[in-house]
Amino acid sequence: KAGVTQTPRYLIKTRGQQVTLSCSPISGHRSVSWYQQTPGQGLQFLFEYFSETQRNKGNFPGRFSGRQFSNSRSEMNVSTLELGDSALYLCASSSGRTDTQYFGPGTRLTVL
Amino acid sequence: AQTVTQSQPEMSVQEAETVTLSCTYDTSESDYYLFWYKQPPSRQMILVIRQEAYKQQNATENRFSVNFQKAAKSFSLKISDSQLGDAAMYFCAYRRLYSGNTPLVFGKGTRLSVIA
């Protein structure tokens, strides 16, 4: 099976812009979670989607949003970018039965 | 809230030797999963090993094994016959069993260097 894929792998944006990141889970996986990784804060949970419904949300401002499509692919959007949004954004999928999350390669976002 | 602590920010090991990475966690739950993930310089987070808290037997995956002490809330990772490719950040993570909608909780990580 193909692994979790994320696009794009790298992004450079300027403050105030918005960005959309995409994640395609492992075939058959219906749960997609998003995490932000920074040197200072480590790995922080953003949100999780299951069957197109957001099941849980981390402690991030409303500028961070996401959605999941009927094919389980997920997107996350960050509006009005700030310098502090520079991070590695990781997507993980799970089947829901095993509860093991498998990660994609991440999208490196740099905000200038 | 659950927390995961990795007290060793950095460790090093000679090639072919054995190293143990420490992890402790805090939870009031009795059923949960524990994981070790590896993140090499490529940044891809790779699952190393998984332990279900209701299983007494320690999980093993080839050269990787864990020492799971439920009462002490300790979950250490032992890497035997270390290889250069083992050099990476290692993250310990916790997730409640039958979590449905609870996320992974990660420790801050341990950077492992392998010396040739």
Side-chain angles (χ1 to χ4, degrees), chain B residues 64-102:
Chain B
F64 299 87
S65 61
V66 298
N67 183 5
F68 172 49
Q69 301 290 328
K70 190 172 184 179
K73 296 181 182 176
S74 171
F75 183 60
S76 61
L77 174 69
K78 185 172 81 171
I79 306 174
S80 304
D81 186 26
S82 296
Q83 301 175 359
L84 294 177
D86 295 333
M89 281 291 288
Y90 286 81
F91 292 95
C92 179
Y94 164 101
R95 194 178 192 195
R96 204 175 70 198
L97 190 66
Y98 306 125
S99 56
N101 61 350
T102 61

Side-chain angles (χ1 to χ4, degrees), chain B residues 36-54:
Chain B
W36 278 99
Y37 283 91
K38 166 186 176 181
Q39 189 177 41
S42 68
R43 310 300 285 177
Q44 173 99 42
M45 193 79 77
I46 301 165
L47 177 68
V48 175
I49 201 163
R50 181 181 97 156
Q51 175 79 44
E52 291 90 344
Y54 59 86

Side-chain angles (χ1 to χ4, degrees), chain A residues 43-63:
Chain A
L43 284 146
Q44 294 185 288
F45 171 73
L46 281 156
F47 27 66
E48 180 192 7
Y49 287 87
F50 182 85
S51 294
E52 302 180 66
T53 300
Q54 187 181 87
R55 292 204 297 193
N56 201 5
K57 189 176 189 302
N59 189 25
F60 277 81
R63 300 184 296 106

Side-chain angles (χ1 to χ4, degrees), chain B residues 2-3 6 27 31 33 35 40 50 63 66 72 82 87 94 113:
Chain B
Q2 294 84 7
T3 58
Q6 294 179 249
T27 182
D31 294 323
Y33 293 109
F35 305 87
R50 181 181 97 156
R63 298 182 296 106
V66 298
S82 296
Y94 164 101
S113 301

